[in-house]
Amino acid sequence: MLTALGLDAVAESVYRAMLAHPGDGVAGLAARLSLAEPQVRNALDHLSELALLRPSADRPGSLRAVSPDVGMEILMARQQAELAAAQARIEASRAAAAQLIADYADLRPEVNTPDVEQLVGLDRIRDRLSRFSREAREEIMTFAPEGGQKPEHIEAAKPLDRTLLERGVRMRTIYLDSVRNSPHTVEYVNWLAALGGRVSTVPELPTRMIIVDRSAAVIPVRSDDTAAGAVVLTGQGMLTVLCALFESVWAGAQPLGATAPLDQDGLTAQERTALTLLADGHTDDAIAKRLGVSPRTARRIATDLMERLEARSRFQAGARAAQAGWLS
């Protein structure tokens, strides 16, 4: 039950046994739980690392389990710290990827190199993506920042998705949090999951990107017009950076079937991102584009944040958010 908080099954059973039978030593715990003593000792080491065990004042030289309410607070605080660290890594990777993309965004067809190929026109982009899909053997990793998917696009994608997954190709896709409000997209994701595909969401993505077998990546030359052109990157250095970016974002993403978690300030990741954009002076249209939502939804999110901050203006909302420690 506590796996999500960092406890494996053995450590959890030892923790529960120590709460119920505080006088048991290693041998007693091993006998009670039908475990080998080395397993119990490893579990005790893990519990100590998590600060769930403390020296006993009543029995010098032995350990006691902290109470469940204190223990859960410790585990939750640790998880929040890990999430914050993961978010920091995501931002650093995002900045590196943005620079990499910018370096190649101005390439022209006549300056192709062995590691960079320019694709001009939607037909050529689709042909190359189709070829990559047919040739994929291990995994396809995708950033999909367009928001909710259109039903006709979903139906067109299903036959290829089924073929890939039945062939044993792993598929991991990261959408924007806004797709949680798109019933047909959620239905599609559930269909994918039944076949073995994995989908998570984040508040914003740096660009559309498809990585095939960690050997080739396709990214648009213009994030605001993905049909204008794309580049195929195959250089080892570039692929290493882009794969690291994907893994970093994936580590901080939320599985689509799960409820979006709240942080220590009671904000979802989408609300946190919207608040940062709001404080930076972005318009509703700009915020909507970054979050993959409609301008109306962006206005609703901004209005809700202002009400929670009891602010009468966006400037006042930014000031109060900073005072409350809601902005880094």
Side-chain angles (χ1 to χ4, degrees):
M1 293 176 61
L2 301 180
T3 301
L5 295 178
L7 280 184
D8 58 32
V10 174
E12 181 179 347
S13 65
V14 171
Y15 175 65
R16 290 177 179 272
M18 293 183 71
L19 289 171
H21 308 281
D24 282 358
V26 173
L29 290 169
R32 187 179 299 279
L33 300 172
S34 300
L35 297 172
E37 289 192 15
Q39 286 181 288
V40 174
R41 294 185 188 279
N42 288 337
L44 292 174
D45 289 341
H46 187 42
L47 292 169
S48 295
E49 291 173 359
L50 296 176
L52 296 181
L53 299 183
R54 294 178 179 172
S56 172
D58 297 327
R59 294 175 287 111
S62 61
L63 297 172
R64 65 175 180 86
V66 301
S67 62
D69 55 338
V70 174
M72 294 309 98
E73 286 292 335
I74 291 172
L75 292 178
M76 289 297 294
R78 181 187 181 94
Q79 187 177 58
Q80 287 177 348
E82 290 175 349
L83 287 173
Q87 185 64 34
R89 291 195 299 272
I90 289 171
E91 294 303 325
S93 297
R94 186 171 291 153
Q99 183 60 52
L100 175 66
I101 292 167
D103 290 342
Y104 288 94
D106 293 330
L107 290 176
R108 297 294 182 266
E110 62 269 22
V111 296
N112 284 338
T113 71
D115 294 337
V116 181
E117 179 187 358
Q118 187 89 342
L119 303 177
V120 179
L122 189 57
D123 287 339
R124 192 175 176 196
I125 295 172
R126 286 177 174 172
D127 288 346
R128 179 53 54 88
L129 290 175
S130 178
R131 193 182 104 191
F132 277 142
S133 296
R134 292 195 307 271
E135 295 174 351
R137 292 293 177 266
E138 297 180 5
E139 184 176 28
I140 294 178
M141 303 181 290
T142 303
F143 280 169
E146 297 84 3
Q149 305 297 293
K150 295 181 179 179
E152 58 269 27
H153 293 169
I154 290 174
E155 292 306 313
K158 278 186 174 181
L160 180 57
D161 292 338
R162 180 186 293 276
T163 298
L164 286 167
L165 291 167
E166 289 180 347
R167 206 168 70 219
V169 177
R170 297 187 301 276
M171 292 181 63
R172 288 190 290 166
T173 305
I174 303 178
Y175 288 107
L176 295 178
D177 286 342
S178 59
V179 302
R180 295 174 181 272
N181 301 318
S182 171
H184 49 269
T185 304
V186 172
E187 181 182 359
Y188 166 61
V189 168
N190 291 334
W191 176 84
L192 270 180
L195 294 176
R198 300 174 63 192
V199 176
S200 290
T201 69
V202 293
E204 61 176 333
L205 288 165
T207 185
R208 179 167 179 79
M209 177 175 72
I210 300 175
I211 302 176
V212 181
D213 290 341
R214 297 179 180 267
S215 60
V218 182
I219 59 175
V221 294
R222 289 177 53 188
S223 60
D224 60 340
D225 184 7
T226 56
V231 288
V232 179
L233 308 177
T234 55
Q236 182 178 359
M238 291 180 286
L239 263 298
T240 298
V241 171
L242 294 178
C243 288
L245 170 65
F246 182 91
E247 296 294 355
S248 181
V249 176
W250 180 265
Q254 186 72 14
L256 186 54
T259 301
L262 303 180
D263 61 18
Q264 66 272 16
D265 296 316
L267 300 172
T268 65
Q270 185 184 58
E271 290 172 333
R272 173 75 66 183
T273 301
L275 182 61
T276 301
L277 295 172
L278 188 67
D280 287 343
H282 289 276
T283 64
D284 288 335
D285 287 344
I287 294 174
K289 186 175 181 180
R290 292 281 290 273
L291 299 181
V293 300
S294 67
R296 181 179 179 181
T297 299
R299 284 193 294 273
R300 178 184 57 76
I301 294 173
T303 300
D304 180 61
L305 289 169
M306 289 172 63
E307 289 177 353
R308 290 163 69 177
L309 289 163
E310 298 182 353
R312 295 183 179 180
S313 67
R314 296 190 172 206
F315 176 81
Q316 187 180 36
R320 292 194 171 183
Q323 291 171 354
W326 287 15
L327 296 175
S328 58

